[in-house]
Amino acid sequence: MTVALGPSTFAAPGAFPTSIFGSYYNDPTQTSSQVQPVISDPVTNVVYPLSLTSPDTIPLLDTKDPTPFPPPASADAIVAAAIRQIQLIASPNTPSSPFINDLCAACQAVLLPAKFAFLAAPSEGASIAVALCEALNLAGSTEACEVGFGQFGLANVVTQVISNADVAGYDGQAICFAFGNGACPRPPTTPLNLTARRAPSGERLKVLHLSDFHIDPRFKTGAEANCSSGLCCREDAFAQSSPNATLMPAPRFGSYLCDTPYALALAALESVPVLTGTLGTGFNFTIYTGDLVSHDPMNELSRDYVLYTEASLPLSFLLVLLSRPQTVVYDLFKKTLGSGPVYAALGNHDTQQSAQDSPGVYGDFLYKTLVH
């Protein structure tokens, strides 16, 4: 069956058919310009002005209408999205992924979504830390990651460190080198300017350097001093070869695998002036480079335990530097070692949680406290 068509050409009329629209802003019979019909909204009856469509009044920047953005995501959505990106970077689902053959790039890349998720939802840090552990194969299994990097593991440390790190730069490369199974090469160290050293005066000074006392108020004389794991000289310490009988009873003045008992700490301090010939004179100055607290695992530490240690030690000059009241034991420290200023640096064990600065004021709290 043949379908009949019309003519193959059409000639448009010279004048615009004015009956198409009810009214016009210009003369619709003109052929030198396009028509500008008057158009109104059929619902609101608002008449659109000529300036909206006139070729002579095109706006350079029309900011009348809002630019819509999606609503903010919830903490759960941010964490889920971050974990998904971490998984895709660590295990790409496309053969052309740039991360397949570049372990360093992949390691630093997984830190980026983790960082922003940590910043946006720090309370969900455990889930993100476990995902990082799995992506970088830091513990060997999902179960080990959940224990080591979960809520009661290193989650809070990982959350704080990565939140404040430049993960796309030097910090990220250092993290991937040290904790990412060597995924990145060791970043170069910043060169030191040694040309501005002060000329030596020739005066001989007596300087005392103390460090890492790790006082153990839980030390138990007579407990196992040669234990198989953990902190020895504790009530629960034992040797695997003899779990029910102590092989090496902890002596009063401590043992190699144990932290420092009070007897050893005070004996050491009392010996310093005698052995150094500073009785009655003291030192020109003393340097203490941190670590007062014992090596207890996280689950056995508390804020009160750390404060007790700092308040009870003859080295509690740290509390004075932190504007805490001077204690009797600090007086003992001064009387034992003599006069002279003490310059202190906090160690990673001198905070609670261990190895962390205060999360709310990260970056300059310790500097301002100790220097100012």
Side-chain angles (χ1 to χ4, degrees):
M1 180 178 178
T2 302
V3 177
L5 300 176
S8 60
T9 60
F10 172 78
F16 187 86
T18 58
S19 60
I20 296 297
F21 297 102
S23 59
Y24 297 83
Y25 284 114
N26 62 352
D27 184 356
T29 62
Q30 295 180 6
T31 58
S32 60
S33 62
Q34 296 294 319
V35 298
Q36 292 289 341
V38 177
I39 303 297
S40 62
D41 187 288
V43 176
T44 64
N45 295 320
V46 171
V47 177
Y48 296 106
L50 173 62
S51 60
L52 185 65
T53 58
S54 171
D56 300 322
T57 58
I58 298 175
L60 296 178
L61 179 62
D62 192 338
T63 59
K64 177 182 178 181
D65 296 325
T67 303
F69 290 93
S74 66
D76 289 342
I78 292 173
V79 171
I83 291 176
R84 177 59 177 160
Q85 301 314 302
I86 290 170
Q87 293 169 341
L88 287 175
I89 294 169
S91 301
N93 59 3
T94 59
S96 59
S97 171
F99 304 119
I100 291 179
N101 297 315
D102 194 332
L103 293 179
C104 183
C107 180
Q108 285 193 260
V110 299
L111 298 179
L112 283 168
K115 174 184 175 70
F116 295 121
F118 283 139
L119 289 171
S123 62
E124 302 295 325
S127 299
I128 307 164
V130 170
L132 279 178
C133 174
E134 294 174 335
L136 300 176
N137 193 26
L138 301 181
S141 69
T142 297
E143 292 75 15
C145 283
E146 290 174 348
V147 172
F149 290 80
Q151 186 68 37
F152 300 104
L154 294 173
N156 54 350
V157 177
V158 174
T159 299
Q160 185 179 123
V161 170
I162 294 182
S163 293
N164 290 277
D166 291 326
V167 295
Y170 186 97
D171 295 344
Q173 189 173 345
I175 290 171
C176 289
F177 167 76
F179 304 104
N181 296 318
C184 289
R186 183 195 298 271
T189 56
T190 303
L192 297 176
N193 180 8
L194 301 178
T195 60
R197 291 182 297 175
R198 295 174 57 182
S201 66
E203 179 185 0
R204 184 177 293 274
L205 303 177
K206 283 195 173 183
V207 178
L208 176 64
H209 182 188
L210 298 172
S211 184
D212 293 84
F213 253 62
H214 291 293
I215 191 75
D216 186 5
R218 294 167 172 169
F219 183 100
K220 183 172 182 178
T221 302
E224 181 61 68
N226 190 29
C227 63
S228 300
S229 63
L231 194 55
C232 298
C233 301
R234 290 288 186 85
E235 173 62 30
D236 57 353
F238 65 92
Q240 288 184 347
S241 60
S242 179
N244 298 316
T246 300
L247 297 179
M248 182 185 294
R252 176 190 171 198
F253 288 99
S255 187
Y256 181 73
L257 296 179
C258 309
D259 277 341
T260 308
Y262 272 116
L264 176 61
L266 294 179
L269 287 174
E270 289 174 337
S271 73
V272 170
V274 177
L275 299 177
T276 59
T278 56
L279 280 170
T281 62
F283 294 89
N284 292 93
F285 62 88
T286 296
I287 300 172
Y288 183 74
T289 48
D291 280 6
L292 299 168
V293 184
S294 56
H295 289 91
D296 291 74
M298 286 284 195
N299 60 295
E300 295 180 5
L301 288 172
S302 66
R303 178 182 176 86
D304 284 344
Y305 182 78
V306 173
L307 291 177
Y308 164 87
T309 300
E310 294 182 346
S312 67
L313 272 178
L315 301 177
S316 58
F317 53 85
L318 288 177
L319 301 184
V320 177
L321 291 175
L322 292 171
S323 300
R324 296 182 182 274
Q326 184 167 313
T327 63
V328 174
V329 190
Y330 175 60
D331 287 336
L332 175 61
F333 172 74
K334 293 181 66 175
K335 292 175 182 177
T336 303
L337 298 180
S339 61
V342 175
Y343 301 102
L346 294 184
N348 65 302
H349 285 274
D350 295 325
T351 57
Q352 171 61 23
Q353 301 280 340
S354 179
Q356 294 185 71
D357 193 356
S358 175
V361 289
Y362 188 87
D364 63 356
F365 169 72
L366 295 181
Y367 171 79
K368 289 180 178 178
T369 301
L370 292 178
V371 176
H372 300 288

